[in-house]
Amino acid sequence: MKKILTLFAVVGLIAFSSCEGPEGPMGPPGEDGVIAEVYEVTNVNFNSANNYNPVIALNPAIFESDMVLVYRLAEVNNGNDVWKLAPENYFLADGTLDFGFDYDFTKNDVSVYMIGNDLAGVANSFRLNQVLRIVIIPGYVTTGKSVNKADYSNYNEVIKKYNIDDSNIKKIKL
């Protein structure tokens, strides 16, 4: 009896291991296959002519689920670029807001704007010939993940986390 049960078990194992169904649909690529993009926009001016709100067109359009981060080149320190994530605010000595930068976006463009009471009085070094980097991260990568989340305030960490080739940045000039 034991031999018959063993025989059935072996035959059943062979039969079930040789079954194969149709291949399922392709899933989204993993983080190693993330296609994040970076655009560098130069010669950005915040002035009364554009209502302190330059708008940068995205071509091609992005998906509505994508995440957009905007960084401003704040300074160069010992040959290294220092990028600050928007929103970025500057305060007066008494703690009230002097001015700042913020942004919003659609699938077709990114609107970067200044906030504050006297934007015309803000130093030209903050308003004229600014360099921005716009990082676009596919939405499926950021949805529902709190483990190993990048520190979005750190441009270099974001570039590393999403395997972005920093030497292959798409340039836009306004």
Side-chain angles (χ1 to χ4, degrees), residues 34-120:
V34 171
I35 303 174
E37 298 178 279
V38 178
Y39 293 91
E40 183 171 282
V41 189
T42 57
N43 198 33
V44 179
N45 294 312
F46 296 88
N47 53 42
S48 60
N50 62 17
N51 202 26
Y52 303 93
N53 181 16
V55 177
I56 299 124
L58 297 174
N59 188 9
I62 63 173
F63 293 106
E64 290 185 14
S65 61
D66 288 350
M67 183 167 113
V68 174
L69 303 170
V70 175
Y71 297 87
R72 187 182 68 82
L73 181 61
E75 65 180 292
V76 177
N77 186 353
N78 293 324
N80 297 311
D81 293 341
V82 177
W83 297 99
K84 290 196 175 180
L85 175 67
E88 175 187 358
N89 295 315
Y90 293 87
F91 297 91
L92 297 170
D94 66 0
T96 60
L97 177 70
D98 185 9
F99 71 94
F101 299 92
D102 207 344
Y103 71 100
D104 58 39
F105 66 94
T106 69
K107 64 181 185 172
N108 297 309
D109 59 46
V110 176
S111 173
V112 183
Y113 53 91
M114 288 186 75
I115 55 173
N117 294 321
D118 180 21
L119 298 180

